[in-house]
Amino acid sequence: MQDSLSVNDLDAWARRPSTSLRRDRFGLGMARVEIIAPSPVVDHVAWYTEGFFARGDSPVRAQLFIHDVDPELIGSVKDARLTPPLRRAVLPTSPDTVCFVDDTHAAVHLFLAAATRDEPMLVAVRILRALVLRALFGDGFPFFHASCFMLRGVGVALVGRRTAGKTTLLLHCLDSLGAVLVGNDKFALVQDADSDAEEALGFPIQIGIRAGSVLALGDGPLRTFLMRRWSQRFGGVEAHRDDLGPRLGIRPQELAAAADSTVMPRCRLGLAIEPYVDPGAVTPRLERLSDDERRTLWTHNLLRRPAEVFPQQAALAGPASETELRIPQVPAYRLVQPPAAGPLTSRVIEDLVCRVSVDG
């Protein structure tokens, strides 16, 4: 590798005769990314994003080049002098990788040592996902800190602060109601081109599950699956019952399969629920939020910058765009529940969804 690098140098490097690369396209209809990488990396990306990102020949918004290099070359690549428009992007959780961004051509060059091993391939997934998110941000789609599932044809957003119980509630709905998983923790809000309906876009992001959420589930396949995975990763679940630190990372597709359910990349939103734990509550109950309360709920959970959506890959973000705030115009409720309310909370949600379905 030479002392300086230009866009042409990197393109030539990716197309050198000794390299066997595949091209494929992943993403959403309006935000698709072309990946040029060794076959095992492409296969891993396809597996990880299955059910969320479509593949096909739609126009692309960005390109991701994966350069598989010998470990001893990484140092020289890091020290190379870059020729504009290339810039370095520092990835805090991936110190052994080198990432160059060409904003002019919407291209990212990622240098990985032993790219076909598990951890480097996961880095490739994260970068691809960040590029899809970057395209959506550039188009002005708002992102929210919220989970989402579909039940009886109604999209339900769980919106609230961290540790409010969104993931626990999501698990209950998957486990006992057969809900379909759209996404956990973050989603983008888009409008259907034909009907102007507001839809949530989910993403293939690992779901972090605490021990308390596992123990709150009733006996069944999902609890058994999570208990086994937790024991393999951390040991006994009971010892971490009240721990807010350790979290078990599960691919959403695996979680849905363990609950005998599926995932879907987008759904039409029908209502929003704010989980709220009240130590004085006896049984779960719903409180309808006023218009001002509903707007405040969404506004407080709006993710305004790329760094808030994908903090570890924020360096990939392009120039920030100022867009008018849009919040979902759907009914919102506060779900007041006692500690460890368990499956009772999901039954309250089911009754609400049935009423929404009837009201249409």
Side-chain angles (χ1 to χ4, degrees):
M1 184 68 65
Q2 60 236 54
D3 293 336
S4 63
L5 286 174
S6 67
V7 171
N8 291 337
D9 293 330
L10 292 178
D11 287 344
W13 176 263
R15 294 175 174 82
R16 65 194 190 281
S18 61
T19 304
S20 176
L21 299 175
R22 275 174 52 197
R23 289 175 177 264
D24 211 331
R25 297 181 179 191
F26 296 91
L28 305 164
M30 71 289 288
R32 201 173 297 267
V33 175
E34 182 177 49
I35 182 172
I36 302 95
S39 288
V41 178
V42 177
D43 290 338
H44 183 83
V45 169
W47 167 77
Y48 199 97
T49 63
E50 183 181 10
F52 287 96
F53 288 172
R55 304 167 73 175
D57 296 329
S58 301
V60 300
R61 300 286 295 276
Q63 287 184 305
L64 172 59
F65 294 87
I66 305 294
H67 304 277
D68 188 3
V69 299
D70 295 329
E72 58 268 19
L73 280 179
I74 286 290
S76 62
V77 174
K78 283 183 178 180
D79 296 335
R81 180 173 53 84
L82 301 184
T83 301
L86 287 178
R87 64 178 174 87
R88 284 181 174 82
V90 178
L91 309 177
T93 58
S94 307
D96 296 328
T97 67
V98 180
C99 186
F100 300 141
V101 181
D102 175 6
D103 291 305
T104 302
H105 302 94
V108 172
H109 294 262
L110 186 64
F111 287 81
L112 300 172
T116 57
R117 293 182 180 175
D118 288 349
E119 182 57 32
M121 287 195 293
L122 184 56
V123 174
V125 171
R126 291 169 181 160
I127 300 300
L128 172 75
R129 187 174 60 212
L131 290 176
V132 172
L133 294 171
R134 166 180 161 162
L136 292 172
F137 246 115
D139 288 341
F141 293 111
F143 283 77
F144 295 97
H145 177 227
S147 302
C148 187
F149 62 86
M150 176 171 277
L151 181 63
R152 300 182 182 274
V154 177
V156 181
L158 303 176
V159 191
R161 60 178 177 80
R162 296 189 184 278
T163 73
K166 297 189 299 297
T167 300
T168 302
L169 190 53
L170 175 66
L171 292 177
H172 282 308
C173 292
L174 292 174
D175 184 43
S176 59
L177 303 182
V180 176
L181 177 62
V182 177
N184 186 64
D185 199 46
K186 302 176 181 72
F187 68 72
L189 182 69
V190 301
Q191 285 187 311
D192 181 78
D194 298 323
S195 65
D196 286 335
E198 294 168 318
E199 297 186 333
L201 278 182
F203 293 92
I205 300 174
Q206 275 196 345
I207 299 176
I209 302 173
R210 296 184 176 93
S213 297
V214 177
L215 294 170
L217 292 170
D219 291 335
L222 182 57
R223 179 185 171 111
T224 300
F225 167 76
L226 292 174
M227 292 275 282
R228 183 177 65 251
R229 292 290 290 270
W230 186 278
S231 297
Q232 293 170 350
R233 177 71 174 84
F234 298 111
V237 181
E238 285 286 352
H240 299 278
R241 175 185 288 272
D242 300 319
D243 251 347
L244 296 181
R247 292 192 296 177
L248 180 66
I250 301 289
R251 285 173 61 239
Q253 301 94 326
E254 292 180 86
L255 184 68
D260 196 24
S261 184
T262 58
V263 299
M264 62 189 309
R266 64 191 292 169
C267 76
R268 179 173 179 172
L269 282 179
L271 61 93
I273 293 176
E274 177 190 19
Y276 180 81
V277 176
D278 179 4
V282 177
T283 58
R285 70 178 188 275
L286 288 164
E287 299 175 349
R288 179 74 179 257
L289 299 184
S290 68
D291 286 345
D292 286 344
E293 290 174 321
R294 176 180 58 83
R295 184 174 183 84
T296 297
L297 175 66
W298 285 108
T299 303
H300 283 179
N301 289 279
L302 174 68
L303 303 174
R304 298 179 182 276
R305 298 181 299 276
E308 296 174 326
V309 180
F310 46 101
Q312 302 305 326
Q313 292 82 41
L316 300 177
S321 60
E322 294 295 331
T323 58
E324 183 180 354
L325 170 63
R326 286 194 303 110
I327 62 173
Q329 300 300 310
V330 297
Y333 298 81
R334 179 175 295 116
L335 176 60
V336 180
Q337 52 188 321
L344 286 176
T345 55
S346 58
R347 297 303 175 189
V348 172
I349 290 178
E350 184 178 35
D351 290 342
L352 175 62
V353 167
C354 289
R355 295 202 303 271
V356 171
S357 298
V358 171
D359 294 341

